Amino acid sequence: KCELYAKNTVTGTLDAFGRTYEINTHGCREHTFCDFPRNTSWNWVLGLADNYSIVVSRGDYSGYDFKYAVMYSNGQWLDLDPDVDLVVDEDHVLKTCTLSSSNIDLKVYPIRHRYQHKQILKGLLVDAHYWEMASRIAGSVIINHKRMPIDTYGIMTRSRMKW
């Protein structure tokens, strides 16, 4: 079972880049617990700006296609069309990706990435690949029949697993 809790209040401080940031905002937490199928993959995109945030997820759990898309704007969470077509280049992790649905038209421009590869029994038991990419996210979403331009930064994760 995969549950995404996107409507959480987050408070505290964050020390980064020689500065301390006061945090009082909304965030999301994903929790997955289950017997995963042998081959599993998923992608997350999180875009953050001063006046909005966007969370898009697409997972392929070997037959169960998990889709999720929300936006936080003007003090409220808005559901976006979760039937997102996510186009990524599996061979070139830093190439531009696209996210599109009836109200999402975004491009994800990876800037840099972190990669981990974990294996158990030389990949026979577990062969896990995980990419985390700092990215620029640009395009538009349609909210209440109005096109809203998006141009911000965030993160994209890509996971390809064999359990």
Side-chain angles (χ1 to χ4, degrees), residues 123-140:
L124 294 173
L125 185 59
V126 171
D127 190 10
H129 301 265
Y130 178 78
W131 296 265
E132 192 172 83
M133 292 158 285
S135 302
R136 178 174 166 245
I137 300 161
S140 64

Side-chain angles (χ1 to χ4, degrees), residues 53-123:
S53 61
I54 297 173
V55 180
V56 177
S57 174
R58 181 75 189 261
D60 176 11
Y61 301 113
S62 294
Y64 174 69
D65 198 11
F66 177 79
K67 303 172 185 177
Y68 188 86
V70 294
M71 178 174 191
Y72 185 79
S73 180
N74 295 322
Q76 63 181 340
W77 284 98
L78 307 164
D79 290 325
L80 298 172
D81 180 1
D83 194 18
V84 175
D85 185 25
L86 176 81
V87 178
V88 298
D89 186 329
E90 294 294 339
D91 296 322
H92 300 95
V93 71
L94 291 176
K95 283 202 172 176
T96 301
C97 309
T98 60
L99 303 167
S100 57
S101 71
S102 66
N103 58 4
I104 298 171
D105 181 18
L106 297 173
K107 291 194 183 306
V108 179
Y109 303 93
I111 299 166
R112 60 181 302 175
H113 78 286
R114 180 178 71 88
Y115 171 73
Q116 286 186 308
H117 183 206
K118 302 286 183 184
Q119 290 185 320
I120 298 176
L121 292 177
K122 296 186 179 183

